[in-house]
Amino acid sequence: MGIRFNSLIAVLLLSATARAQITDGTTAVGSVKIHYLQSGPAKSTRALILIPGWRLPAYLWTEQLTRFGAHERVIAIDPRSQGPSTKTTEGNTPESRAVDLHGVLTNLGVAHATLVGWSQGAQDVSAYLAQFGTSTVDAIVLVDSPVSWGAAEVDAHPGFAKVILSGIPVYARSPEDYSRGMVRSIFVQPHPDLDINKIVQSTMQTPPDIGVAMLTQDIFGADRRPALHALDKPALIIAAAKGPLFDLQKEEAATIPRAQFVAIENAGHAVMVDQPAQFDSVLTAFQSAGSNK
């Protein structure tokens, strides 16, 4: 099912919206300190929660932090072992990051969350639902990534599994070169104001051995589909129209109750950076539809 809305009006409304200031903070969950960026009304118990991809920084959500923060609370987190958050050899799985996320929401007083997971973040969202249910979740958004089938990925999607597994020794041998290639690959639009070197250095804050552990656990560690199949809250899947995992995401959306699927043209994996106006309009329409129910 697609989202039906007047896209021109949505874009105009977004363009007219004031842009919010971003602050940063850190909160402890057990022995791990999680860094986050925040905008909007800091005391609100409702928040839009933005989770980045594998080793990528929370600040890639800057457009959404400034845009949506003008009228709602927005929090983008750096998961454990990423960015300024604690680096640890323990718990580098979506399941442990889900526990961290639950702790962050509790510490920051968020009782009603819209969880937006991009890439690896989609795994974290699904793991969160499996462990904590939807009592504090208003809706979920998965951005350009299907959730893992666990070990079954090897047989179900052998081409995808081969790409992931063959890339691991390349990453382990030359982490900076691998990371630079990865960062460049997630954009298809020019971004003269985006510091690619800064993004690469942010990915390098995750030690390679930890990065390998994260990647294998993300893709092969667990079948995370059951939590989505049982979802009782609105869901939105946003996919890059020419992305390699487009078909898998469309198939996944069909298995999720109340899910909507939207394809965004002329975008790379970092959909929200390549096409921010389209992405923000789709997310705004989804939120508005949910608030009217």
Side-chain angles (χ1 to χ4, degrees):
M1 180 186 300
I3 294 177
R4 296 181 180 179
F5 64 98
N6 187 317
S7 58
L8 176 60
I9 291 177
V11 170
L12 289 174
L13 287 173
L14 284 168
S15 300
T17 302
R19 303 181 74 85
Q21 295 295 313
I22 301 172
T23 60
D24 68 345
T26 302
T27 188
V29 182
S31 61
V32 175
K33 292 183 178 179
I34 301 296
H35 174 262
Y36 63 90
L37 301 174
Q38 182 170 225
S39 61
K43 299 299 183 181
S44 175
T45 60
R46 296 183 181 275
L48 183 65
I49 308 298
L50 308 174
I51 307 168
W54 178 55
R55 303 188 298 128
L56 290 160
Y59 70 74
L60 285 178
W61 293 104
T62 293
E63 160 66 24
Q64 289 69 42
L65 282 157
T66 56
R67 182 78 70 181
F68 289 92
H71 54 80
E72 64 182 301
R73 189 180 187 185
V74 186
I75 301 167
I77 71 168
D78 283 301
R80 68 165 60 201
S81 296
Q82 294 190 195
S85 294
T86 299
K87 312 304 180 295
T88 173
T89 58
E90 299 180 350
N92 291 296
T93 68
E95 286 66 37
S96 290
R97 292 193 299 269
V99 174
D100 294 342
L101 176 59
H102 185 70
V104 170
L105 298 183
T106 300
N107 292 351
L108 299 184
V110 177
H112 301 275
T114 295
L115 301 179
V116 183
W118 165 48
S119 196
Q120 174 183 270
Q123 309 294 341
D124 296 2
V125 169
S126 186
Y128 185 94
L129 296 174
Q131 293 181 73
F132 300 103
T134 59
S135 62
T136 60
V137 175
D138 288 345
I140 70 163
V141 182
L142 306 180
V143 183
D144 210 47
S145 179
V147 303
S148 174
W149 291 31
E153 289 284 0
V154 175
D155 294 322
H157 310 122
F160 172 60
K162 184 177 181 179
V163 168
I164 297 299
L165 293 171
S166 63
I168 288 175
V170 179
Y171 169 45
R173 182 173 62 250
S174 304
E176 185 162 358
D177 289 343
Y178 177 95
S179 298
R180 188 170 300 278
M182 182 193 79
V183 169
R184 287 175 174 163
S185 75
I186 66 176
F187 308 108
V188 298
Q189 298 296 328
H191 296 287
D193 297 329
L194 200 59
D195 189 338
I196 297 298
N197 288 329
K198 181 181 177 183
I199 300 172
V200 172
Q201 291 309 309
S202 181
T203 68
M204 291 298 294
Q205 291 185 59
T206 301
D209 56 343
I210 292 177
V212 169
M214 292 165 65
L215 185 60
T216 54
Q217 288 290 336
D218 290 345
I219 306 302
F220 307 109
D223 184 347
R224 301 188 181 93
R225 293 173 294 169
L228 297 182
H229 297 167
L231 185 64
D232 59 355
K233 296 294 177 68
L236 170 64
I237 311 296
I238 301 177
K242 303 299 184 184
L245 300 177
F246 178 86
D247 290 339
L248 289 178
Q249 293 175 83
K250 192 169 185 178
E251 291 169 8
E252 179 174 271
T255 71
I256 305 172
R258 303 174 62 183
Q260 302 176 20
F261 180 83
V262 175
I264 294 186
E265 298 286 347
N266 302 314
H269 187 47
V271 182
M272 70 285 188
V273 180
D274 266 350
Q275 296 295 343
Q278 292 183 51
F279 182 92
D280 294 354
S281 295
V282 168
L283 183 53
T284 297
F286 175 67
Q287 290 181 296
S288 296
S291 65
N292 290 331
K293 291 180 179 180

